[in-house]
Amino acid sequence: MGRAGGPAGAGRRLSRNAAGGQRAAVLLAAGRGERMQASGSPFAGVPKPLVPLAGRPLCRHAAETLAGAGDTLRLAVVPPGQAGEAVQAALEGLDYRCVTNPQPGRGLLSSFQAAAAALPAGLDGAVFALADMPLVSLTTHRALREAATQAAAAQCVYGGVSAPPLWLPAHLFPALLALPDADNGPRALLRGPDVVRVPRPVAELLDVDTPQALAQAEARLPHPHSAR
């Protein structure tokens, strides 16, 4: 799959970040959204990344915040077919390179793996964020990057609950690709004393999986002109 906006080839260009390394920002936007499309839902038939939130597709909120972190390149993992094309269109202008997860039904981990397989050599690592967590702030993304090293993974923690975004150094990509299917992130790589925990506000922890959660996100989104 191709690019979502920006000049040709710009998303592949490697530039140094403030820490002197090279890193990718990965948006995972291939979720099936079964609970969002449950019987009686007003969003039946609409891919979860595209359900409307404050007048824009759900995935656009997380994508814009992630893009503001200033990483070396941006990658979005999208579903196959027309749904993937529609998600790519929703990211237009944000300079994401889009890659397809051909089997999102294998679970969330398969999208992590699709991203890792598509990333170019020469990176220090990647930050992985979920398209259905629209309340994660740019401040959180910056705090995670400040904690990131080439030696160890880093994980955001919201009041004791570990959740994305998370950082994986490149040396962990082979282990990520070898993990068995799971409907969660790479938990096996996020255990142990070397993993850096980054405390973040509990108010940012909202995974929009249902129409009710979507309504909560609508009520809690920052004002468009407020700092995030």
Side-chain angles (χ1 to χ4, degrees):
M1 186 156 292
R3 302 192 45 71
R12 297 174 184 264
R13 187 169 56 243
L14 295 184
S15 60
R16 292 283 171 178
N17 62 37
Q22 297 175 341
R23 62 185 176 229
V26 176
L27 182 74
L28 304 180
R32 294 174 296 169
E34 292 179 346
R35 286 192 288 167
M36 184 68 73
Q37 300 186 36
S39 177
S41 167
F43 307 112
V46 180
K48 185 172 71 166
L50 300 177
V51 298
L53 174 61
R56 296 185 296 161
L58 172 62
C59 65
R60 182 82 187 190
H61 295 269
E64 288 184 352
T65 305
L66 183 60
D71 296 303
T72 300
L73 63 85
R74 293 189 282 278
L75 185 77
V77 181
V78 302
Q82 292 183 340
E85 293 172 2
V87 173
Q88 180 174 346
L91 302 177
E92 183 68 29
L94 296 179
D95 200 21
Y96 279 88
R97 174 189 166 202
C98 293
V99 298
T100 300
N101 178 351
Q103 295 181 297
R106 289 171 46 213
L108 177 60
L109 187 64
S110 67
S111 287
F112 279 86
Q113 292 170 327
L119 290 172
L123 294 172
D124 290 343
V127 170
F128 295 82
L130 301 187
D132 60 1
M133 291 185 68
L135 301 184
V136 173
S137 68
L138 183 55
T139 301
T140 287
H141 278 292
R142 288 172 174 162
L144 179 63
R145 284 151 181 79
E146 288 174 1
T149 73
Q150 295 184 53
Q155 170 79 77
C156 289
V157 180
Y158 307 85
V161 177
S162 297
L166 59 90
W167 158 262
L168 292 180
H171 73 83
L172 290 178
F173 290 173
L176 170 61
L177 291 169
L179 291 174
D181 289 353
D183 199 17
N184 50 56
R187 292 177 179 172
L189 306 182
L190 298 169
R191 300 176 181 141
D194 293 336
V195 177
V196 179
R197 313 292 175 184
V198 184
R200 300 309 304 152
V202 176
E204 295 185 11
L205 180 62
L206 180 63
D207 191 350
V208 179
D209 277 341
T210 64
Q212 293 76 21
L214 185 69
Q216 293 176 37
E218 183 100 30
R220 291 164 53 184
L221 272 178
H223 187 276
H225 300 295
S226 64
R228 292 200 68 201

